[in-house]
Amino acid sequence: MTTTTTDSVTSRLDRLPFTRTHLRVLTGSGAGWALDAMDVGLISFVIAALVSEWNLTTASTSWIASAGFAGMAIGATVGGLLADRIGRRSVFALTLLVYGVATGASALAGGLVALIALRFVVGLGLGAELPVASTYVSEFAPARMRGRIIVVLEAFWAVGWTASALIGYLVIPSVPEGWRWALAIGAVPAAYALIVRWALPESPRWLASRGRATEAERVVSGMESSPVLFGRPAATVAAAVEASSARASTVGERLRGLWTPAMRRRTASLWIVWFCVNFSYYGAFIWIPTLLVSQGFGLVRSFEFTLLITLAQLPGYAVAAWLIEVWGRRATLSVFLAGSAVAAILFGQATTIPMILATGMALSFFNLGAWGALYAVTPETYSTSLRATGAGWAAGVGRIASILAPPIVPVLQAVGGIPVVFIVLSAFFAIAAAATWGLSESRGRSLAE
């Protein structure tokens, strides 16, 4: 593959308006993203139900969440490597299949050990899917609207989490062993994987980087002839954040490429942000239903509050999607993380229902807006040959934090109650906000090849 051919694919993609093919890639990937969120969200309601139904301690049920996150850590790192090796679309479909089947099987678990083991397998698929999907969509998106498109993709998370809150609220308390029915619904991604595999195109940037010029040309030509939904072709596009680097072909070369002198500050900053955001997000949102129950609210009332708090994710994404192309990646991410830090402290101090709802919704608004900005900036940090690997390893490091957070939260609660829990989570948000300024600013720029 010549540089000229690769540059041609890149410039043609970046000049495109938003077409029907872009919409198909976005909604197809977004549906998978929403199904993932539904699965992750459901486990918080399942844990709250199992505490009473199986007479489990909070500490023992925390391992249900941690097992899933352990699988996600491995899945993210391996999935990123595979996506740079065999393609984005194939890995995306495979991960949906793995976690869809395992989630359906979780509904049949007869005890805690079996459920923990199956949640680990679920995590393998889920951990690989998210960074691969964001990489996949970013490689189709025109430079001038790429950040906004990725935040919209992330907004599908709110759709899935809201679905999980509705299922938790309507299904789990309403029927005997309702948590099993809730998990059975999670098997839907297994069927959706077949649609993904055959209905969506492979990334033309990845095809070009692998020397598959004819296939890349076919995909780009199809996008150029696709009906325009909005926007106009761009006359020029800003240069990439950094010059192209040598192609990384082996696993070792790709991993070393993340830590070259030109990349080490960005990689370190990205890993810190991912670690801190994961710790705070999963430390809070996995436990919110259970923490509310511990404050004296009934199971149904707790699920009702969680549903209302979850709905605030949608405006958070909407505002982040607008600001990310106005303020840029770093400023948007930093502001939303700082807002999350303040909201976490206030939520930990809330004692009345209005304050619990108001501060919980603020935490949901800022935290999920930050997630949208983080998923936008992550794939933009690396060149095409490293992009999925870099995104996968950043997500994998973040999943280490999500493994640690569920068992640490009950310990913190025992030490100082809910206020101490959220002071610690707020500190992690603040560290992430500071680390954001070590990232590159890539607003309006072409992806590095």
Side-chain angles (χ1 to χ4, degrees):
M1 171 59 58
T2 66
T3 302
T4 301
T5 305
T6 304
D7 289 346
S8 174
V9 168
T10 298
S11 61
R12 289 164 66 189
L13 287 171
D14 282 336
R15 285 197 300 266
L16 285 171
F18 191 85
T19 68
R20 185 175 295 170
T21 301
H22 286 112
L23 181 63
R24 185 158 57 92
V25 168
L26 177 60
T27 54
S29 302
W33 202 288
L35 291 168
D36 285 2
M38 185 180 74
D39 178 87
V40 176
L42 279 174
I43 202 64
S44 66
F45 297 97
V46 169
I47 287 173
L50 288 180
V51 167
S52 58
E53 190 166 321
W54 282 2
N55 295 317
L56 300 175
T57 65
T58 303
S60 63
T61 53
S62 70
W63 292 106
I64 299 173
S66 290
F69 294 133
M72 290 171 76
I74 297 171
T77 53
V78 174
L81 291 167
L82 282 175
D84 277 334
R85 180 74 178 177
I86 66 175
R88 287 46 165 144
R89 181 185 65 175
S90 297
V91 175
F92 182 40
L94 178 62
T95 58
L96 286 169
L97 183 64
V98 168
Y99 101 80
V101 171
T103 298
S106 298
L108 304 175
L112 182 62
V113 174
L115 184 59
I116 288 173
L118 286 167
R119 292 306 302 174
F120 176 80
V121 179
V122 169
L124 290 175
L126 179 59
E129 192 274 332
L130 296 177
V132 171
S134 62
T135 297
Y136 174 70
V137 175
S138 71
E139 291 184 343
F140 280 92
R144 64 195 181 281
M145 60 182 82
R146 185 175 59 245
R148 190 162 292 162
I149 288 173
I150 297 302
V151 177
V152 172
L153 171 68
E154 236 290 285
F156 280 89
W157 184 271
V159 175
W161 200 280
T162 302
S164 74
L166 286 170
I167 294 169
Y169 178 59
L170 297 174
V171 175
I172 293 179
S174 303
V175 296
E177 295 189 309
W179 64 270
R180 294 187 186 275
W181 290 100
L183 289 178
I185 296 172
V188 171
Y192 181 70
L194 299 176
I195 299 174
V196 169
R197 181 63 183 86
W198 298 112
L200 298 180
E202 181 55 89
S203 164
R205 293 180 191 268
W206 179 81
L207 290 169
S209 74
R210 303 296 292 184
R212 295 161 63 173
T214 302
E215 295 170 78
E217 171 63 31
R218 187 182 305 119
V219 175
V220 176
S221 296
M223 297 184 73
E224 290 172 333
S225 61
S226 182
V228 175
L229 298 182
F230 65 83
R232 296 180 179 179
T236 59
V237 178
V241 175
E242 63 177 13
S244 300
S245 58
R247 304 298 180 197
S249 57
T250 67
V251 171
E253 288 174 343
R254 290 200 291 275
L255 294 179
R256 287 192 295 271
L258 304 181
W259 294 99
T260 60
M263 296 304 300
R264 62 179 57 142
R265 187 187 74 172
R266 297 177 188 179
T267 296
S269 298
L270 195 63
W271 286 17
I272 291 170
V273 175
W274 270 92
F275 185 92
C276 292
V277 172
N278 270 272
F279 188 93
S280 297
Y281 175 77
Y282 288 107
F285 283 89
I286 286 294
W287 283 112
I288 279 178
T290 303
L291 292 175
L292 290 173
V293 170
S294 73
Q295 288 185 292
F297 297 103
L299 191 65
V300 174
R301 190 70 162 158
S302 168
F303 287 0
E304 180 182 334
F305 288 174
T306 304
L307 173 59
L308 293 173
I309 289 170
T310 299
L311 291 174
Q313 295 180 9
L314 290 169
Y317 284 124
V319 174
W322 174 63
L323 289 177
I324 201 165
E325 300 295 5
V326 177
W327 288 357
R329 279 56 164 155
R330 288 183 301 191
T332 302
L333 179 55
S334 181
V335 167
F336 273 81
L337 287 170
S340 299
V342 174
I345 289 180
L346 295 176
F347 183 78
Q349 303 296 323
T351 55
T352 65
I353 290 177
M355 283 300 295
I356 289 172
L357 290 177
T359 57
M361 293 175 78
L363 178 60
S364 189
F365 174 93
F366 283 110
N367 196 184
L368 276 296
W371 270 116
L374 181 58
Y375 269 106
V377 76
T378 298
E380 295 176 347
T381 303
Y382 302 103
S383 62
T384 299
S385 62
L386 297 175
R387 188 163 295 125
T389 298
W393 276 76
V397 169
R399 299 310 175 193
I400 295 173
S402 62
I403 296 168
L404 299 174
I408 287 176
V409 166
V411 175
L412 293 173
Q413 186 181 8
V415 170
I418 290 178
V420 169
V421 170
F422 283 90
I423 287 172
V424 172
L425 299 182
S426 176
F428 275 87
F429 278 131
I431 294 169
T436 296
W437 295 96
L439 303 175
S440 60
E441 179 55 62
S442 47
R443 177 180 54 162
R445 294 180 178 269
S446 177
L447 288 176
E449 297 300 332

